[in-house]
Amino acid sequence: MKYSIPKTITNIESGWCPGCGHGIVTRLLAETTEELGISDKVIIVRDVACGSMQSGVVTYNNIGAAHGRTIAVAAGAKRIRKEDIVIANPGDGSAYSIGIESTMHAALRNENILALVVNNSVFGMTGGQMSPTTLPGQKTTSSPYGRDTSYNGNLLDIMKVLNTFDIAYLARGSVDSPSAVMKAKKYIKKALMMQQDNKGFCLVEILSPCPTNWGLSPEDSLKFIKEKQQEYFPLGEYVDKGGYDK
Amino acid sequence: MEKISIDVSRCKGCGYCICVCPSGAITKSEEVSKKGYTVISVDESKCVQCGSCYKMCPDYVFQIF
Amino acid sequence: MAKTLMKGNEALAESALRAGCRFFSGYPITPQTEILEYMSWRMREVGGEFVQTESEVAGINMLFGASAAGARALTSSSGPGFSLKQEGISYLCGTELPAVIVDVMRIGSALGNVFQGQGDYWQLTRGGGHGDYRTIVLAPASVQENADMAYEAFDLAEKYTHPVLIASDAAIGQMVEAVELKDFHDHDINKYDWVIKGRKEGEDKRIAENVYYAMGADEYKDFLLEKYKRIEDNEQKWESVNTEDAEVVLVSYGISSRVCKEAVKIARKKGIKLGLIRLKTLWPFPKKAFDALTSDIAGFLCVEMSILGQMVDDVKLATDNKFPVKCYSEFSNVPDPAIIIERAEKMLLENGGRK
């Protein structure tokens, strides 16, 4: 079979809305860990909210962390289980708002984990409030007239911050097209290889659609990522200490 | 020979597959799933087995042989 | 092992390591800091993990991960730092994870000050965070007990898969006394069937999350009530001093209880029949200590270092409100034995002693 559903994906239907990117990111995680033969080592640390629904979709053992604490919890677990592959799965609200101090300091300590951040530019589960990655002008339930940076503050591009840090890997992918999905998969796979080789902290952010809270059709959500989100959050690899491309 | 298998019981009707299919093999069907989603259908004769639908599907509907 | 002189905080840290603790994550705050400092070098010597985290919040959450992964894990704090741990303690309870958290109490709300205090009693015994929970709270009154309780806390935490708090204070943490330490114990991180590690094919899936989700509301309610009852039935610990014929019984714990012991001695020499119930667990509250007393007691005098007399309610509950309960509370000063005796004499005058 050319393309088959990864074995680590269960038959349980996810609770995600139609067109939610979490399902794609979760499949990439399943594919990459299977291809690397590390499925039996994976520990997922998931956030509350939409990302938490990953627990039923995959067969991995996992830990449900408090909101914003996935990276700290994952770092704690990894230090005890160094042979395992520990993946924190925060959203943008979790990793860049309430949990930003742990994102920064896990990076400073070069904790040997992967932070796989699903960035949909809103707090999804609570109904689509403004997050640190909500775009200027973007309407959310807590920026009903559109994000006004003079009133709501500026947005955070984590790549601009962490690219100065001594970490193993930093990349931003997207799931807005089949080719983008394949690139995102490459980033995730590289980060997992780095963890296997004990290279240290990896953060891979994936721009991901939230049609429900963006008030857009799934098709228009893909366009929004390509045309709007990527204007503020350019894709690519920002730090790469792996040398796996050579 | 079978080219593609779909499990429409998982389909939530988001339509990503329809947007990305290069050969127009996928369309919205008339069928409404148990959960109330209008699911997709595939014209297998048009399928080129590129895997785009598989790659974009958030709900694991597709497998390509 | 021979006795050695150690500071309370350091004895606690060393004893935790000997109990098999191999993970510490914490943040500096006086008067707890020596635990962190001691762990910073000693944890490395024993091959464990030490992290000085970016905040207390990160400290308790790294501990959460380490505990879920199967380690014996410790964190410690004081005052405002201990408040920051509450979210994580609530999560440990909800998730049914064992861990040991030390509160080296200081005085006051807000910043307060670094001096010894016992004002965290309510926070410690009522579940200091959100939701329906309590934690086991051990109350050491000496450097030796700091060591012993830290050692025993991990077993207790695992017995009930529940966090255990140690209610130390600045005086107990900072004082130097002779202490006998227990032997090193190896902890196997794979000992329990709930620990989170990579899932091998064919193994059941393990999830560390609020157990309520898997149980459902009704079963969870019964489960929790049964668990807390089991702890209350089995884990009440206290020391009774001269309570058999006492006319006034002091109730105290930690640093204050040491003064009370002295007060009992002095009072007895004067012919005043003073006794003491020293709490070794704050929760479960040692109600059994009170059940054992006879009914002709003039009253109970709580001696504690909290302005509002935080222990009084528990003594009234433990005695079914049948006796007068007074409180001699100090704030930043350790209670004075002379004042304790004076208050006890006053209670005797007001309420009468044994006939």
Side-chain angles (χ1 to χ4, degrees), chain A residues 7 10 12 39-44 46 48 54-67 69 71-82 84 98 101-103 105-106 109 111, chain C residues 22-23 49-71 87 91 95 97 189-190 195-201 203-210 213:
Chain A
K7 283 191 212 119
T10 66
I12 298 167
S39 296
D40 61 351
K41 292 182 171 182
V42 170
I43 296 173
I44 301 281
R46 60 196 160 84
V48 301
Q54 192 181 61
S55 175
V57 176
V58 290
T59 57
Y60 303 126
N61 288 344
N62 64 77
I63 303 172
H67 178 50
R69 317 296 177 215
I71 291 175
V73 171
K78 178 70 185 187
R79 281 169 179 257
I80 299 307
R81 302 246 166 221
K82 293 193 169 75
D84 282 346
I98 191 169
E101 64 175 15
S102 284
T103 305
H105 283 267
R109 290 191 301 266
E111 300 279 356
Chain C
R22 289 296 177 273
F23 186 91
E49 294 290 325
F50 164 85
V51 195
Q52 183 172 327
T53 50
E54 54 273 24
S55 68
E56 284 88 351
V57 175
I60 190 80
N61 279 291
M62 282 194 80
L63 165 139
F64 185 96
S67 168
E87 174 198 70
Y91 270 79
T95 311
L97 287 177
I189 60 168
N190 296 311
V195 301
I196 300 295
K197 53 182 177 177
R199 182 181 153 274
K200 305 279 173 283
E201 218 170 314
E203 283 179 356
D204 286 341
K205 183 171 163 185
R206 296 178 185 180
I207 303 175
E209 66 177 359
N210 198 322
Y213 302 138

Side-chain angles (χ1 to χ4, degrees), chain C residues 80-96:
Chain C
F82 187 63
S83 290
L84 290 174
K85 304 253 181 227
Q86 300 306 321
E87 174 198 70
I89 295 171
S90 175
Y91 270 79
L92 288 163
C93 286
T95 311
E96 295 267 307

Side-chain angles (χ1 to χ4, degrees), chain C residues 39-155:
Chain C
M39 286 297 191
S40 72
W41 60 271
R42 184 71 171 127
M43 186 61 93
R44 188 178 273 193
E45 281 187 355
V46 302
E49 294 290 325
F50 164 85
V51 195
Q52 183 172 327
T53 50
E54 54 273 24
S55 68
E56 284 88 351
V57 175
I60 190 80
N61 279 291
M62 282 194 80
L63 165 139
F64 185 96
S67 168
R72 287 196 154 184
L74 180 80
T75 186
S76 59
S77 197
S78 298
F82 187 63
S83 290
L84 290 174
K85 304 253 181 227
Q86 300 306 321
E87 174 198 70
I89 295 171
S90 175
Y91 270 79
L92 288 163
C93 286
T95 311
E96 295 267 307
L97 287 177
V100 179
I101 301 115
V102 185
D103 178 16
V104 185
M105 285 187 278
R106 53 192 263 172
I107 59 163
S109 49
L111 180 62
N113 215 322
V114 299
F115 316 122
Q116 63 269 356
Q118 297 181 315
D120 295 351
Y121 183 90
W122 282 334
Q123 188 184 30
L124 287 159
T125 57
R126 267 64 182 160
H130 61 285
D132 255 347
Y133 74 88
R134 289 188 192 255
T135 52
I136 297 170
V137 187
L138 308 178
S142 63
V143 173
Q144 183 65 56
E145 274 192 345
N146 246 9
D148 293 346
M149 287 182 176
Y151 199 90
E152 153 200 18
F154 290 96
D155 288 331

Side-chain angles (χ1 to χ4, degrees), chain A residues 113-213:
Chain A
I113 57 165
L114 164 61
L116 180 57
V117 185
V118 172
N119 176 2
N120 56 17
S121 287
V122 284
F123 283 89
M125 180 67 93
T126 45
Q129 292 75 31
M130 182 181 66
S131 85
T133 53
T134 296
L135 309 184
Q138 186 181 345
K139 285 182 183 171
T140 70
T141 57
S142 60
S143 57
Y145 304 110
R147 184 183 194 136
D148 172 356
T149 52
S150 69
Y151 179 68
N152 300 118
N154 285 302
L155 46 165
L156 175 68
D157 178 353
I158 199 73
M159 303 293 147
K160 286 184 184 159
V161 181
L162 293 186
N163 67 0
T164 62
F165 283 39
D166 190 15
I167 58 176
Y169 190 68
L170 179 67
R172 177 183 287 128
S174 168
V175 293
D176 64 82
S177 69
S179 60
V181 168
M182 293 318 282
K183 223 173 221 178
K185 178 178 171 178
K186 190 182 87 183
Y187 297 160
I188 294 169
K189 195 168 182 177
K190 261 194 189 178
L192 292 172
M193 286 161 74
M194 295 207 199
Q195 186 173 155
Q196 274 185 295
D197 293 345
N198 299 312
K199 300 225 184 233
F201 188 77
C202 300
L203 187 144
V204 176
E205 181 190 295
I206 308 291
L207 301 182
S208 174
C210 181
T212 302
N213 287 307

